Amino acid sequence: MDDDARAHPDAGEDGAVGRLDELAGGAGTWLALSAAAPARHSGAVVADRFDRVTWHDTYEQSAALRELAGELDERHAHTADLLTDVFLAAYKAAPRLREPAEMEHSRLVNHRVVAALLESPGFAELHRETVGDPYAAALAVLAQGAALRRMLDDARPARARDERAGRARRDAGDAATAVAETLRQAAEEAEEDGTVPGRAAHAVRQAVEAAEAAARRADDESGQALAAAAPGARAAARQAVARSAAAVREEAALMRAWGVGSGELERMSFDERARLAERLRTGRLAEWAELIGRFRQMADGERARKVENATGELIGVTLGNDLSRVVPSELANLGLPELRAVFAARYAAGELMLYDSQGEQATGRGAVIACVDTSHSMYEAGPGGITREAWAKACALALLDQARHAGRDFVGIVFSAADKLRVFRFPADRPAGLGRTLDFAETFLGGGTSYQRPLTAAGELLEEEFNAAARTRGDIVMLTDDDCGVTEEWMRGWKDAKRRLGFRVFGVGIGAPRVAAAGSVLEALCDNLRSVEDFTDVHAAADLFRVI
């Protein structure tokens, strides 16, 4: 036995004492680890408290999100964090993932799932539709629900490795704490010269060895966990992103087709917007939203071609002295003193450049009234599978836009047999109201067809408008696929009202050429008549939107 062992009866199993400074130096790494273990995160997407408040509010408003969360939570752990991450990835302008090493091991599967979604080729397209829009981001989460379930099921083995890595990391932390505790005890037993009894020194060395072994196990388990990937995760993520992008894009197109602007959507609560989307998806004309959108775009384009205070369709430029049709470049000459004489000379000679038009009357000023036939035959489909009703309603909705744009009242009259009629009024001085618009578009009465009943109602409405506001020159558009007779007495009264009120009647025979044929009743009633057989062609009625 050496001198140190004889001098210190408390020597450890190795028979050696130690010095406190040497022991502290050997344990320094573990002291630092036990004192300041790095914080790990449960969320994969970096977010501030405002982002999380947005998610919380959206989650509380959406029963569908809560249902999805409950369903996932029955089979998997930490799914609330996963749904938060998927939402934030869609909602934030520049979503950023944390490094895997910053994550709690129990959330590494979530990190991999979100990373796969962000890396999908279609994510940028999805993100354009959802960024900054909590409702659209929630819709994207819901559309990915089935894929998230599948990805979590496939990730069970990876989650098990993550859990082992987490336990190993906790064991390493406990071992580091043990090092600090044994060193503290050794310090209490140290002599004034810094020597530590062998037993205490041995305990410190053993604690350090145990900590090193625990750290190696933790590193091994962590390495395996970080390298783990659920099979098929990338393919599932691609499908999920594509599906959610399609769902969000379709709903956005649906809203645009029905004229619902982004500002109006922002003012709606989550529930209001969800109910509206459901109604648009399941209504009578849901299948024809794209047709409605094309009709409205066409009408908007035709409005742009109209020339204020000029009659007819614009076909070019001609020469003359009609000051109501002078092109802007000629009028600009009046603003230059040195060119005013030139303008006067050209005016006197009839050589001013004028808009040239042909074949159409001036637009009206009274109400626009669309009489839409909803007899049983309007169910019939034409080219492209589009029904006669769908084409007629799409045209009527575009006429509603036309009236709103011109500051004119609009009335939709849905009719069929003589005893079946519904009237929808849209005064120019009040908002149209999407609910009222949908009621008009979705109403279908069935039965036969009567011309007299809807046209009589239209004439009475124009008479009422004349008596109340002295407005004349209204426009009636008759959209029908059937031909039916009218009495001579009724026709005399109709012609008298037409002369007195100055209204025009436009007729569209839908899918039935005989309705608009020469000698037909509709021809006798209308000032302007056409037949439509190709229901995919929205331009068949284009001239209506230049003259109404």
Side-chain angles (χ1 to χ4, degrees):
M1 185 174 294
D2 59 25
D3 292 340
D4 285 339
R6 284 193 297 270
H8 296 279
D10 292 328
E13 293 178 4
D14 59 1
V17 296
R19 293 192 58 79
L20 185 60
D21 54 352
E22 294 174 354
L23 294 173
T29 299
W30 310 107
L31 292 174
L33 180 61
S34 65
R40 292 180 179 268
H41 299 276
S42 59
V45 177
V46 178
D48 58 32
R49 64 186 183 90
F50 298 105
D51 296 328
R52 297 193 177 278
V53 166
T54 300
W55 159 249
H56 177 75
D57 289 346
T58 305
Y59 182 83
E60 289 301 316
Q61 293 178 55
S62 172
L65 280 177
R66 296 194 299 274
E67 182 179 341
L68 175 61
E71 180 185 343
L72 293 178
D73 196 49
E74 290 178 358
R75 297 171 55 85
H76 303 282
H78 314 303
T79 53
D81 291 329
L82 174 61
L83 293 183
T84 304
D85 283 330
V86 176
F87 172 86
L88 292 174
Y91 173 74
K92 287 179 65 65
R96 180 171 65 85
L97 277 183
R98 301 185 190 279
E99 292 297 323
E102 299 178 55
M103 298 293 298
E104 291 183 9
H105 283 85
S106 59
R107 307 308 199 280
L108 281 173
V109 164
N110 293 357
H111 187 280
R112 296 187 195 99
V113 168
V114 179
L117 295 173
L118 288 172
E119 293 166 3
S120 296
F123 182 80
E125 179 184 356
L126 169 65
H127 193 242
R128 280 194 295 271
E129 299 287 351
T130 60
V131 60
D133 186 340
Y135 178 88
L139 181 62
V141 174
L142 294 171
Q144 295 174 72
L148 293 176
R149 283 191 290 272
R150 186 168 63 255
M151 293 169 77
L152 289 174
D153 286 341
D154 293 343
R156 287 185 186 278
R159 189 179 293 281
R161 285 192 290 269
D162 293 336
E163 291 173 353
R164 288 197 299 270
R167 287 194 296 271
R169 183 61 61 187
R170 287 192 296 273
D171 290 343
D174 293 341
T177 301
V179 170
E181 178 60 21
T182 55
L183 187 61
R184 185 189 63 77
Q185 294 176 359
E188 290 179 352
E189 298 180 28
E191 301 290 347
E192 291 184 2
D193 62 356
T195 58
V196 176
R199 175 180 49 76
H202 180 68
V204 172
R205 295 187 186 103
Q206 281 189 317
V208 169
E209 290 173 1
E212 290 173 346
R216 285 193 296 271
R217 288 194 299 273
D219 289 341
D220 290 343
E221 294 287 357
S222 294
Q224 293 177 22
L226 292 174
R234 286 189 174 86
R238 282 196 299 272
Q239 294 173 4
V241 169
R243 187 177 297 109
S244 59
V248 174
R249 187 170 56 250
E250 287 170 8
E251 183 158 314
L254 194 62
M255 295 295 179
R256 286 194 294 269
W258 283 96
V260 186
S262 58
E264 187 175 357
L265 290 175
E266 290 173 2
R267 290 191 294 272
M268 292 182 185
S269 70
F270 188 95
D271 286 342
E272 288 173 333
R273 188 166 170 182
R275 286 194 298 269
L276 172 60
E278 181 63 18
R279 183 174 182 183
L280 295 182
R281 279 194 296 267
T282 59
R284 284 188 57 79
L285 299 185
E287 187 178 353
W288 316 119
E290 189 268 342
L291 173 69
I292 294 169
R294 287 197 294 119
F295 240 111
R296 284 177 147 159
Q297 290 175 359
M298 178 274 293
D300 188 59
E302 293 303 319
R303 278 195 295 273
R305 295 181 59 190
K306 293 176 69 172
V307 181
E308 293 299 326
N309 301 317
T311 59
E313 178 185 3
L314 175 64
I315 59 173
V317 175
T318 186
L319 298 178
N321 58 5
D322 184 350
L323 295 179
S324 68
R325 295 190 290 134
V326 174
V327 301
S329 60
E330 288 279 25
L331 291 175
N333 292 336
L334 290 175
L336 300 174
E338 60 270 23
L339 293 179
R340 288 173 185 167
V342 175
F343 180 90
R346 289 167 61 82
Y347 171 73
E351 295 180 351
L352 293 175
M353 289 189 293
L354 313 176
Y355 285 118
D356 193 14
S357 60
Q358 68 178 16
E360 295 171 356
Q361 304 174 48
T363 57
R365 286 294 177 267
V368 177
I369 301 178
C371 298
V372 183
D373 185 354
T374 60
S375 58
H376 282 309
S377 57
M378 292 291 283
Y379 275 126
E380 188 173 329
I386 299 171
T387 64
R388 296 174 178 183
E389 179 203 9
W391 195 95
K393 294 284 183 63
C395 183
L397 290 171
L399 287 169
L400 169 58
D401 289 348
Q402 186 84 351
R404 304 298 293 182
H405 186 270
R408 301 169 67 183
D409 290 351
F410 177 83
V411 181
I413 297 179
V414 179
F415 72 94
S416 58
D419 60 342
K420 294 183 177 181
L421 181 120
R422 286 194 63 185
V423 177
F424 298 86
R425 296 193 183 205
F426 298 88
D429 59 354
R430 293 201 295 272
L434 185 58
R436 183 74 169 161
T437 303
L438 288 172
D439 289 341
F440 164 55
E442 293 176 352
T443 296
F444 192 93
L445 302 176
T449 304
S450 167
Y451 283 0
Q452 287 188 192
R453 179 77 189 282
L455 290 176
T456 297
E460 290 172 350
L461 288 166
L462 292 176
E463 183 89 46
E464 178 185 320
E465 182 181 40
F466 173 75
N467 293 335
R471 281 200 297 269
T472 58
R473 295 170 58 199
D475 291 310
I476 299 172
V477 181
M478 187 75 167
L479 300 150
T480 182
D481 71 339
D482 201 1
D483 193 20
C484 63
V486 296
T487 67
E488 290 184 9
E489 181 181 1
W490 182 90
M491 181 63 86
R492 284 195 295 271
W494 176 254
K495 289 181 177 179
D496 180 63
K498 203 163 177 287
R499 283 192 299 270
R500 187 173 68 259
L501 300 174
F503 60 78
R504 299 175 296 177
V505 183
F506 299 82
V508 184
I510 303 173
R514 62 179 174 77
V515 173
S520 68
V521 174
L522 196 60
E523 183 193 38
L525 290 170
C526 296
D527 304 295
N528 181 305
L529 181 63
R530 83 286 319 283
S531 178
V532 175
E533 295 183 61
D534 182 0
F535 301 159
T536 64
D537 181 15
V538 300
H539 293 280
D543 63 310
L544 289 177
F545 300 94
R546 295 194 296 273
V547 298
I548 290 180

